Amino acid sequence: MKIKKDIVKATDELARIVKEKNLSFIRVKDGEVEIEVGGYEPQIVHAAVPGVAPFQQVSQAPEIPAASAPVTASAVVSGNFVKSPIVGTFYAAAAEGKPPFVQVGDKVEKGKVVCIIESMKLMNEIVSEHSGTVAEIYVANAEAVEFDQKLMRIE
């Protein structure tokens, strides 16, 4: 029971650090225990955590120059997006060698599993919140994804 309380306390502390430092996520591993806490402001960060050392933000996302050409009406993408609810690894299929849950052109119904996001060794099924046709898939199998990142578009 003490271990469970320690994990809760550590998770609360990590959430505080993520919020204060405006990080997209932080991951700590100590032996068999691994804790990952996601935030809301995506940045490129690297945190070194030897033992119980304090966390440091080593780099931030580079500034992106403003677009030189104005956005035209044809550049606007229609449809509904399936976004990642957590930080993790995107998997298009239930297991290696299995067919993907969906491919571009497939019809999906609201509530259908469209992919899996692995986070903290847990496989989280991601379901479509919309019915329609898969128009685009933005990430490759086994690619790392951020919180709120667009995974696919459904028209």
Side-chain angles (χ1 to χ4, degrees):
M1 196 59 141
K2 178 169 175 26
I3 292 175
K4 197 175 210 180
K5 288 180 183 179
D6 290 344
I7 291 173
V8 170
K9 185 176 178 182
T11 302
D12 289 343
E13 180 65 14
L14 290 173
R16 184 190 62 75
I17 291 168
V18 167
K19 185 175 181 180
E20 283 180 7
K21 300 290 185 183
N22 209 20
L23 302 174
S24 62
F25 76 95
I26 192 167
R27 178 182 300 148
V28 178
K29 184 172 183 177
D30 184 18
E32 293 182 19
V33 177
E34 183 173 324
I35 301 172
E36 182 175 312
V37 177
Y40 297 100
E41 297 295 322
Q43 294 180 351
I44 298 171
V45 297
H46 302 279
V49 187
V52 188
F55 306 103
Q56 296 181 9
Q57 184 173 336
V58 178
S59 66
Q60 291 185 340
E63 263 189 49
I64 299 172
S68 57
V71 176
T72 62
S74 63
V76 176
V77 178
S78 65
N80 298 298
F81 296 101
V82 175
K83 296 181 178 182
S84 178
I86 53 178
V87 173
T89 304
F90 172 88
Y91 291 106
E96 195 172 323
K98 297 279 186 179
F101 291 105
V102 295
Q103 296 178 340
V104 172
D106 287 355
K107 301 270 187 216
V108 294
E109 296 296 322
K110 181 177 179 177
K112 178 184 181 355
V113 175
V114 293
C115 65
I116 291 175
I117 303 292
E118 177 188 5
S119 181
M120 295 180 61
K121 309 252 188 228
L122 295 174
M123 299 299 187
N124 301 279
E125 292 182 338
I126 308 303
V127 298
S128 175
E129 295 179 5
H130 308 281
S131 296
T133 303
V134 177
E136 293 181 88
I137 299 176
Y138 299 114
V139 293
N141 193 50
E143 185 176 321
V145 294
E146 293 289 326
F147 170 77
D148 209 33
Q149 179 178 341
K150 293 176 184 173
L151 304 175
M152 57 189 71
R153 181 171 59 92
I154 298 177
E155 292 184 326

